[in-house]
Structure formats: structure tokens, C-alpha cells
Amino acid sequence: MTLLVLGEEDVHAALDMASCIGAMEVVLAGLARGELSMPLRSIVRVPDDAVLGLGLMPAHRGGADPLISLKEVVVVPSNPVRGLDPH
């Protein structure tokens, strides 16, 4: 199995807005037909202000071309002070 990690520049280079809209149409239609499993995201709130939340968003697509994916989001409110994005 290969793990592909994409940064912001990678995503912009690989997917233009029109293609993104088309992909979302396919995914949302598949979700409406029950072909996909995408549970509600899990969020962990940490008392320390350094990390506000962590969101894990798993998804599974069955059928002839199965796929498992996981999106992770970490929010660090203090990052802008260090010149970094808070997400």
C-alpha cells in the first residue's frame, strides 16, 4: 500500500476548480445512493490553547474500484504569531 500526502501546492497543481466541482458531484451522488460510507467527523478539543481541535474524517468507497481515505485537520490558533497557517 502506498500513502500519498499532498500539500496545498500539490492540490492546486493537480486539481483545478472545474474538476473539483465535477468530482464533488460524483462523490455526493454516490453518497446519496448509499455507495459510500462517510461517518461524522471525530473532534477532540484539548484544554491547552495550543491545539483547539483535531478532526478525523474517514471515508470508504466499495464496488469495483474500492478506496479508503482519511482526512485529518489540526487547528493551532497560535500558529499565525509564528507566521504559519492556523490549520
Side-chain angles (χ1 to χ4, degrees):
M1 180 169 87
T2 301
L3 175 65
L4 176 61
V5 178
L6 301 175
E8 181 180 356
E9 290 178 10
D10 300 317
V11 173
H12 284 288
L15 187 63
D16 61 272
M17 186 56 73
S19 297
C20 184
I21 291 170
M24 289 304 300
E25 288 175 341
V26 171
V27 169
L28 292 173
L31 187 60
R33 290 190 300 267
E35 299 169 354
L36 307 172
S37 173
M38 191 173 71
L40 295 175
R41 71 178 67 177
S42 300
I43 298 176
V44 177
R45 300 207 183 275
V46 180
D48 182 0
D49 192 40
V51 179
L52 176 63
L54 167 71
L56 297 175
M57 296 159 266
H60 172 259
R61 179 184 68 204
D65 191 22
L67 177 71
I68 296 173
S69 67
L70 175 66
K71 177 181 176 182
E72 173 189 6
V73 176
V74 177
V75 180
V76 183
S78 61
N79 267 353
V81 174
R82 302 181 313 165
L84 301 171
D85 190 281
H87 293 82

